[in-house]
Amino acid sequence: MLEPWRTGIVVQIKEETPLTRRFWIQIPEVESFNFIPGQFVTLDLPIHEKKNKRWRSYSIASSPDGTNVIELVIVFLEGGAGTTYIFNEVKEGSELLLRGPQGVFVLPQTIDRDLFLICTGTGVAPYRSMLHNIKRNKIPHKNVYLIFGTRLFKDCLYYEELRELQNDIEGYVYLPTFSREAEENSSIRKGYVHSVYEEIVSKNKPNAYFYLCGWKNMIDEAKERILALGYDKKDIHLELYG
């Protein structure tokens, strides 16, 4: 059953990178906004007469904590009507019409295989939610690899936080990789996400689930490569951006 439209109030905004902002939204009409990590909400923005041209969906970046506040992380898209409105018009105290939670991009109830959480850009949002949920609820799991690709180190969302979670979640490895970072920065991994999971899999081909979240090009290429590694379509779960 589809959730009703509700009014959310923006209670905090923080600039995370030059083109990315974090938005905390409170939904006053519910005491606790319940969702499964990996789900999204849809915003109805006043940018068009037709409903379906006003709707923009964003993964919830926070994990369920019993409150009625959720966090979204949104990247500005040049020429995008939705993010132009959000970045120029939405302030702390603004009201936003939203519906959710929705979506089935969620972890299995029993995590009985290794997880490869592969993303680009703001595609990291659902994984941040999943990881904090694993930590908070001490959910049993196998190895978890978060493989996060972005162009430059300065665009890396939640870097310190996701790195420090390695101290709290057994078997979790954080593997950011940067496609355009300067050669002289030798302290970080360079390249694209594909070489990272291929290298891990080539060593022992674990039983695994692959989660893909981000831009279409990355997802299409990852699907091909994962199938070529001998995995099945059923092992791949995806959430497309844009």
Side-chain angles (χ1 to χ4, degrees):
M1 195 178 85
L2 217 50
E3 291 288 328
W5 289 100
R6 295 187 167 102
T7 299
I9 298 166
V10 178
V11 291
Q12 189 185 351
I13 301 173
K14 183 183 173 193
E15 192 167 289
E16 186 71 3
T17 72
L19 289 177
T20 315
R21 288 183 195 165
R22 298 165 67 180
F23 296 82
W24 283 264
I25 302 169
Q26 184 173 37
I27 301 109
E29 66 187 75
V30 295
E31 226 171 277
S32 174
F33 188 82
N34 299 316
F35 63 96
I36 304 168
Q39 290 190 304
F40 62 86
V41 293
T42 298
L43 305 182
D44 185 349
L45 304 171
I47 53 174
H48 202 278
E49 286 170 19
K50 289 185 178 168
K51 283 183 183 176
N52 61 345
K53 297 206 170 170
R54 297 200 304 256
W55 294 350
R56 298 291 186 276
S57 296
Y58 298 101
S59 294
I60 302 170
S62 47
S63 63
D65 59 2
T67 73
N68 60 0
V69 177
I70 58 169
E71 181 187 331
L72 307 181
V73 58
I74 299 174
V75 62
F76 179 76
L77 296 177
E78 193 65 51
T83 58
T84 297
Y85 176 84
I86 290 168
F87 274 60
N88 291 343
E89 304 298 330
V90 174
K91 310 281 187 280
E92 291 180 3
S94 293
E95 292 189 349
L96 288 171
L97 199 58
L98 61 84
R99 182 162 71 188
Q102 296 166 269
V104 293
F105 186 71
V106 299
L107 294 178
Q109 285 195 316
T110 303
I111 305 173
D112 55 0
R113 303 188 195 180
D114 287 2
L115 297 175
F116 286 83
L117 309 177
I118 303 161
C119 61
T120 47
T122 53
V124 75
Y127 303 148
R128 177 179 182 249
S129 180
M130 291 170 184
L131 288 164
H132 279 287
N133 196 55
I134 287 172
K135 175 190 165 185
R136 178 181 281 124
N137 295 300
K138 298 182 171 58
I139 295 170
H141 59 278
K142 305 291 187 187
N143 294 318
V144 182
Y145 303 96
L146 175 56
I147 303 168
F148 179 15
T150 189
R151 289 178 179 180
L152 299 168
F153 183 76
K154 69 178 176 66
D155 302 325
C156 193
L157 299 167
Y158 306 114
Y159 175 77
E160 285 299 333
E161 179 188 316
L162 294 171
R163 197 171 64 110
E164 284 171 15
L165 276 175
Q166 291 177 122
N167 301 322
D168 303 316
I169 301 173
E170 192 181 342
Y172 160 63
V173 188
Y174 177 50
L175 299 162
T177 183
F178 306 95
S179 60
R180 306 267 177 93
E181 193 53 58
E183 286 306 314
E184 56 269 22
N185 191 344
S186 58
S187 62
I188 59 173
R189 184 183 287 98
K190 298 186 188 70
Y192 295 94
V193 292
H194 310 294
S195 59
V196 183
Y197 60 80
E198 285 177 336
E199 187 185 323
I200 297 166
V201 165
S202 67
K203 288 174 186 163
N204 61 355
K205 198 183 174 213
N207 267 341
Y209 293 115
F210 294 84
Y211 282 74
L212 310 174
C213 189
W215 298 110
K216 184 176 186 302
N217 292 354
M218 181 279 283
I219 287 181
D220 288 347
E221 186 171 343
K223 275 196 303 191
E224 271 183 42
R225 288 180 181 238
I226 292 162
L227 293 173
L229 290 166
Y231 289 94
D232 194 273
K233 273 184 183 169
K234 294 197 294 288
D235 303 329
I236 303 171
H237 309 265
L238 52 94
E239 187 91 315
L240 208 56
Y241 278 22

